Structure formats: structure tokens, C-alpha cells
Amino acid sequence: DKYTRPAVKTEIPGPKSKELAARTDSIQNTGALSFFCDFEQSKGNYLVDADENVLLDCFQQISSLPLGYNNQELLDLCKNDHFQATLLNRPALGTFPGLGFPQLVEDSLLRVPPPGLNQVITMACGSCSNENAYKAIFMWYMKKKRGQEMPVLDDLAYETCMKNQVPGSPKLSILSFDGAFHGRTLGTLSTTHSKPIHKLDIPAFDWPIAPFPRLKYPLEVHESENAAEEARCLEIVEDLINEWNTKAPVAGIVIEPIQAEGGDNHASCEFFRKLRDIALKYDIAFQVDEVQTGMAITGKWWAHEHWGLETPPDIVSFAKKMFVGGFYFSDAIRWNMGYRIYNTWMGEPSKLHFLKKTIEIVNSQNLVNQAQLTGDYLMKGLKELESAYPALLNSSRGQGLFCATSISGDGARDKVSKDLLNQGVLVGSCGNESIRFRPSLLFSPAHVDIVLDKLNVALNNV
Ligand SMILES: Cc1ncc(COP(=O)(O)O)c(CNc2csc(C(=O)O)c2)c1O
């Protein structure tokens, strides 16, 4: 069975990938292109590329495949006649939903609601989910300020908003964190601060940016220092809220449970509980961006469940492994007028059928718990490699399968990542010197053993 171990026959990208890349380059920029995939031959944790290399995929299309490739139960869905009609006839969901829509949402998204939230809307991707979540926050803030349920379109508001001017277009802000990634569209880009190249040349809002804790590892050795760092960051959050209160009051705070693109930056549950309290203290909306951390990979269905919040977030946005984008929201955030959070497709109902089946599989195979156990096994192995290569490997960190480790030294991370790929293991990179693991929920200790064995070889080659 070719799906039990990696098998690399050519350099990667191989000749077929290079030929396809050249043809694609005549159509569009291919600067982000790695290699071409054979999505018919790929299966489970194994990705087959255009040159028939079999790779153990620990990155899964940027953490967007929950059950890996060609899961048979999901493939069987596509043979269903009813499903074909859903697949083909894509509705303008906000206005002409299919007759099975409410049942489908109940059987999918509302099977796994973040604790305390039971309102949800779908969108196409993570960026547009966050864009519309921010809009919902601004509408909530202005409804609260006006003290009226329905938006008031008085002449002044009507006239000025059409010219992008106050008071119709109010000066409000979203507080985000240095190192965050919430999307690259215009609004979310003002809350994304992970790489300059994402932001260069694009206008941005003057919104507050707070420091995200920079923890020192191993955590148990730096407890007091890390607690002081988290306290420092929380104090600056309050300072920024006060500083922006006149020029553009903070309507919402948005944060990732683990800053992924920023370098897999973690913070303690206590930090997040205190941040949630700050939002309550100033009556500011609290949004958790679970686009990358959601869907069981951290050992809970939603990563923020690890925090033990007393008051749920106001908004939890999702995409990637949920097959569709969207956000759950509280009754307080719920907007009361149609066409204010809206676009043609509002996501895609066919993807909710895949989500429904995936949730059934995750629950029947207890994969949330497996993510925790397998992730613990991976972390144990990374820490053992740290002891074997103390000058190279450090700061191994993770929650469930959502793991990363840092490789110090000029170019060392890229060299190790490339070496792993040539040995048939695909991992992600994040920050300046980390490699990150975003495997499918079907990842098991046997896969971890393959990864650790090849990482050992790669570290030895540095
Ligand atoms: C926490 C978080 N929030 C929002 C987004 C944006 O989602 P998409 O628009 O890419 O679906 C992402 C997308 N992740 C992502 C990984 S690499 C990347 C990129 O555009 O380079 C984007 C995310 O990780």
C-alpha cells in the first residue's frame, strides 16, 4: 500500500510540476507556487504530487483539510443524486436558500457551536468572515450608542455616509495584536501584522495594535518572566483603548488563540481570560478568530475552549477545515435588518454537507481526543530532539496537533524544511525560524514516528 510511507522519486518540484508552473506563469504570478498536486492519487495523510512523489502531508493545504485527501465517506456523498442538485445550483443564500437549509445548518454548524453561541452565518473564506464580523461589531456599537434597535437613516447620516464621512461613516476601530493574521482584504489587512509584504502599498486604518506576549521557552523555566510579559501586554491593551477613545473608539478586540502566521505564538489561558474581562470592562466586542485553530486540531473543537471563559466571546470566526467560512455570534451582536451583512453567495451550502459528514466521522472516531493524544506524542518527540540538538532546536510548543518548533541559525529553518520535503515530509513554516505542523485529524503516532525520524536526519544534515 503506497500510502503507508513517503516515497520520493524526483527533486521537488519535479519536472512535471516545473512544466505546469511554466504554463501557469504565462497566465498569472506563480511566486507563491510550490508544486502541483495529483488530487486523484492523494489519500488520507498522503499527498501525491504531479511527479508521483508520495508525501506525508503535515500541512494539509494550509491547515484546511480536516480528514486529509479523498476520504471515502466524503467521496460517497458526491454520488448522491440530491447532493448533485445542491452542488450545481448554487443559491444566493441570503435571499433564495434551498428548502433544506435550516436543517443543514442545524446538522452541521450548530452541531459544534462554541459554548454559549447559537447564532451563525456562513461566508466564503476566512478574510470575508472577519470582514463581515468587523462590520457586525461596528453596527452593534452604533446600535448601542444610539440606544435604538433599528438603524436611523436621518438626513445627516444618510448624506455623510454616502461620502464616507462622519457621522454616517463613524470613526471607530478594531484593536488587534502585533503578529496577528486575520486576512489580506482591505479591512482585515488593517488588523494583520505578520509580514510587511502583505501590507506594503495598501492604505490602512489608524487602528490600535497591541503587543502579543512573547513567551520564553521552556515555559516551566520562565514562569514569572512570562507572567510579567503577559501583564505588560494587557496593560498596553487598556492604555490603547483609552488613547483611541477620542479619535476612533475601539468597538471590538480581535485575537487568534494561537497566532499562526505570526510564528505560532502562544499565550496562557489566564491571559485570554483577562483580555476577555477587559473587553467586558469597556463594553467592547470580543472576537476570537478560529480560522486556523478551529475544528478540533488543538484537542478541543474550538481552541478558545481551553481558556475556561466565564462569558463566551461575542464572535467566533471560522473557515479552512470547516469547509466554509463564517462566524458564530451572540444575541447581542445579532443585527436586526436584512442586507447589512450580505453578499451574493454567503458561503456555499454544498460545503455544509461535507462538514456535516466530517463532524459525524470526527465524533464516531473520537478524533478530537486523538488530536490531543497524538499531539502530545509529537511534542514529546520534539522535546527529545531539542535535547539531541540543543544548539539548533528550541521552543517546541503546541496545543493538540497544532505544533511548532524553532530552528535557530541563518537559513537553518529553510534548509531543514527543504530537507524534510526531499525526504517526503511536507511541513509549514511560520515566523522567521519556525516550522509548523497542521496535520489532518487522522494523523496518528505512526505518522509522528516517520516525521521525527526524518526530522532527526534533517537536523543532522544542517
Ligand atoms: C487566523 C486566520 N484568520 C484569517 C485568515 C484568512 O483566511 P482566508 O481568507 O485565507 O481563508 C487566515 C488564513 N491563513 C493563512 C495562512 S497563509 C495565508 C496567506 O494568505 O498567506 C493565510 C488565518 O490563519
Side-chain angles (χ1 to χ4, degrees):
D1 173 9
K2 77 176 183 183
Y3 302 105
T4 53
R5 70 185 63 77
V8 176
K9 303 194 290 194
T10 75
E11 59 167 350
I12 299 172
K16 286 228 178 49
S17 261
K18 285 177 178 170
E19 180 204 329
L20 290 165
R23 281 174 58 188
T24 306
D25 200 55
S26 65
I27 301 165
Q28 58 190 237
N29 175 285
T30 54
L33 200 158
S34 287
F35 53 81
F36 283 76
C37 305
D38 184 335
F39 287 117
E40 291 186 30
Q41 290 302 315
S42 300
K43 187 177 172 192
N45 290 293
Y46 287 92
L47 171 58
V48 179
D49 76 3
D51 294 279
E52 298 179 9
N53 296 304
V54 180
L55 307 174
L56 177 53
D57 184 359
C58 306
F59 199 41
Q60 293 287 330
Q61 303 300 319
I62 318 182
S63 196
S64 67
L65 295 178
L67 299 178
Y69 301 93
N70 287 309
N71 177 280
Q72 193 52 55
E73 291 186 75
L74 296 180
L75 283 173
D76 291 347
L77 260 183
C78 303
K79 297 171 191 161
N80 175 307
D81 296 347
H82 301 296
F83 186 64
Q84 284 170 2
T86 302
L87 208 50
L88 176 60
N89 306 298
R90 188 172 185 180
L93 193 53
T95 301
F96 303 108
L99 51 93
F101 181 65
Q103 185 65 53
L104 181 58
V105 175
E106 285 158 17
D107 293 346
S108 58
L109 292 164
L110 291 181
R111 273 277 177 288
V112 290
L117 299 182
N118 63 10
Q119 303 286 297
V120 65
I121 193 162
T122 50
M123 290 287 162
C125 67
S127 301
C128 69
S129 301
N130 288 338
E131 287 286 346
N132 283 286
Y134 297 175
K135 283 178 58 179
I137 288 170
F138 293 135
M139 287 156 48
W140 161 80
Y141 186 92
M142 292 309 289
K143 179 176 77 175
K144 182 164 57 95
K145 192 174 175 199
R146 277 193 291 266
Q148 286 167 310
E149 267 313 297
M150 299 307 281
V152 176
L153 265 184
D154 63 44
D155 292 349
L156 183 60
Y158 192 97
E159 186 195 326
T160 49
C161 77
M162 293 305 278
K163 297 174 189 163
N164 301 343
Q165 289 165 2
V166 294
S169 302
K171 295 281 183 216
L172 296 175
S173 62
I174 299 283
L175 184 147
S176 57
F177 288 82
D178 186 32
F181 187 102
H182 298 295
R184 300 157 169 267
T185 43
L186 222 47
T188 58
L189 194 57
S190 284
T191 60
T192 288
H193 319 285
S194 48
K195 282 184 191 148
I197 196 61
H198 295 160
K199 296 171 71 71
L200 192 68
D201 301 337
I202 312 296
F205 288 106
D206 175 19
W207 290 353
I209 306 164
F212 190 92
R214 289 282 178 261
L215 302 186
K216 286 190 168 47
Y217 291 85
L219 295 178
E220 57 278 4
V221 171
H222 297 93
E223 274 181 14
S224 57
E225 212 173 333
N226 288 339
E229 164 67 356
E230 292 188 343
R232 178 185 74 88
C233 294
L234 290 168
E235 199 175 318
I236 295 172
V237 167
E238 291 207 60
D239 293 346
L240 289 170
I241 290 169
N242 290 312
E243 185 184 339
W244 254 258
N245 203 30
T246 45
K247 62 177 172 180
V250 176
I253 293 172
V254 63
I255 195 160
E256 299 158 83
I258 302 166
Q259 288 190 324
E261 296 320 301
D264 273 28
N265 306 321
H266 293 244
S268 72
C269 296
E270 182 66 17
F271 169 84
F272 289 104
R273 283 197 294 271
K274 285 180 177 167
L275 184 67
R276 206 299 167 243
D277 289 343
I278 289 173
L280 288 167
K281 176 179 173 184
Y282 292 91
D283 197 12
I284 288 171
F286 184 61
Q287 177 185 344
V288 184
D289 178 347
E290 293 252 21
V291 166
Q292 190 157 162
T293 52
M295 186 62 160
I297 189 168
T298 68
K300 295 258 187 207
W301 204 280
W302 301 103
H304 74 273
E305 292 181 68
H306 290 283
W307 303 343
L309 293 181
E310 284 173 17
T311 310
D314 295 297
I315 290 184
V316 176
S317 50
F318 58 83
K320 289 183 186 276
K321 289 189 293 299
M322 292 290 281
F323 288 92
V324 72
F327 56 95
Y328 296 90
F329 52 94
S330 63
D331 293 342
I333 292 286
R334 182 179 161 124
W335 49 98
N336 42 37
M337 203 171 163
Y339 286 106
R340 299 199 78 203
I341 301 287
Y342 189 85
N343 54 61
T344 306
W345 283 330
M346 302 290 285
E348 190 185 335
S350 66
K351 301 295 185 188
L352 293 177
H353 286 281
F354 289 124
L355 176 60
K356 174 185 170 194
K357 176 55 77 178
T358 297
I359 291 166
E360 289 165 8
I361 294 167
V362 170
N363 286 337
S364 65
Q365 295 182 26
N366 201 11
L367 297 180
V368 180
N369 190 42
Q370 179 171 317
Q372 188 59 63
L373 297 177
T374 307
D376 291 344
Y377 185 65
L378 173 58
M379 282 301 297
K380 178 172 167 290
L382 290 173
K383 292 234 166 81
E384 284 165 5
L385 283 173
E386 281 190 22
S387 309
Y389 299 91
L392 260 183
L393 207 64
N394 63 79
S395 309
S396 296
R397 54 206 183 277
Q399 200 159 45
L401 286 167
F402 200 104
C403 296
T405 189
S406 297
I407 301 161
S408 44
D410 282 354
R413 185 273 305 275
D414 293 343
K415 189 172 184 308
V416 167
S417 174
K418 183 75 183 156
D419 192 325
L420 280 171
L421 185 58
N422 290 329
Q423 293 186 69
V425 171
L426 175 63
V427 294
S429 292
C430 59
N432 300 326
E433 57 177 27
S434 300
I435 58 172
R436 59 171 155 163
F437 300 89
R438 298 290 183 275
S440 87
L441 300 172
L442 297 172
F443 212 59
S444 71
H447 299 112
V448 172
D449 289 339
I450 293 171
V451 170
L452 294 172
D453 174 53
K454 295 182 180 299
L455 180 53
N456 186 19
V457 170
L459 291 165
N460 217 13
N461 292 342
V462 173

